[in-house]
Amino acid sequence: ITYQIAVDGYYGASGNIKLTVKPGLLNDYFADRLQLIGSFDYVVGSNVGAGREAGEPYHWDTTGQHSVWWKWQAPASGVVIISTAGSSFDTILAAYTGSSVASLSLVANNDDYGPSLTSQISFFANAGTVYQIAVDGYGLASGNILLLLQQ
């Protein structure tokens, strides 16, 4: 497979970049969570080939086997909305506090927001608190993830 990768500057900005391409999923395990930044972030990812680690809670009922992880530190107190709208599969979305898989405390979770098979959660975030965000697939579902965070 050949990939074409384009990098562009916001409003014509230019400068040096460092692009690293690694095989596999970077955020399959809780310890390898990727960082979401600020009051607005939008990322593209995948859970194809991801697994479920020992001690990991189910993010919705007793389903899901392909989770990937992000972390986000709230820059201010207020309501945050996190969505997987536009993802290519039936997603499960959950947010937690806690610094390890064993110490997670559920803040919010969702499966099938509205008429969609994608998910959306909203909750009041406290400034400075780090939230752990998991995206999984219902049953054995996996695919491309579009993850939007806005506060």
Side-chain angles (χ1 to χ4, degrees):
I1 298 174
T2 301
Y3 294 95
Q4 306 296 321
I5 300 171
V7 179
D8 194 4
Y10 185 69
Y11 282 105
S14 63
N16 296 325
I17 64 160
K18 179 181 178 183
L19 177 65
T20 304
V21 179
K22 297 180 180 180
L25 294 169
L26 298 177
N27 58 336
D28 185 9
Y29 296 102
F30 181 85
D32 299 324
R33 303 176 311 282
L34 297 177
Q35 182 75 48
L36 297 170
I37 299 172
S39 60
F40 180 90
D41 205 350
Y42 182 75
V43 296
V44 177
S46 173
N47 73 331
V48 175
R52 185 169 179 269
E53 61 190 292
E56 180 178 342
Y58 285 106
H59 307 294
W60 185 260
D61 291 333
T62 57
T63 186
Q65 295 292 324
H66 301 291
S67 61
V68 287
W69 292 91
W70 283 267
K71 60 185 172 183
W72 173 69
Q73 185 170 9
S77 292
V79 174
V80 61
I81 299 170
I82 305 171
S83 171
T84 61
S87 297
S88 68
F89 64 103
D90 187 354
T91 64
I92 298 168
L93 177 61
Y96 301 89
T97 56
S99 58
S100 70
V101 168
S103 69
L104 292 176
S105 179
L106 182 66
V107 175
N109 65 348
N110 179 254
D111 175 41
D112 299 345
Y113 180 76
S116 170
L117 292 179
T118 59
S119 306
Q120 181 174 304
I121 57 175
S122 64
F123 57 92
F124 187 88
N126 293 305
T129 299
V130 176
Y131 295 91
Q132 318 305 337
I133 299 159
V135 176
D136 205 337
Y138 189 87
L140 299 175
S142 62
N144 296 321
I145 298 167
L146 301 179
L147 185 65
L148 172 67
L149 178 145
Q150 51 191 340
Q151 185 182 39

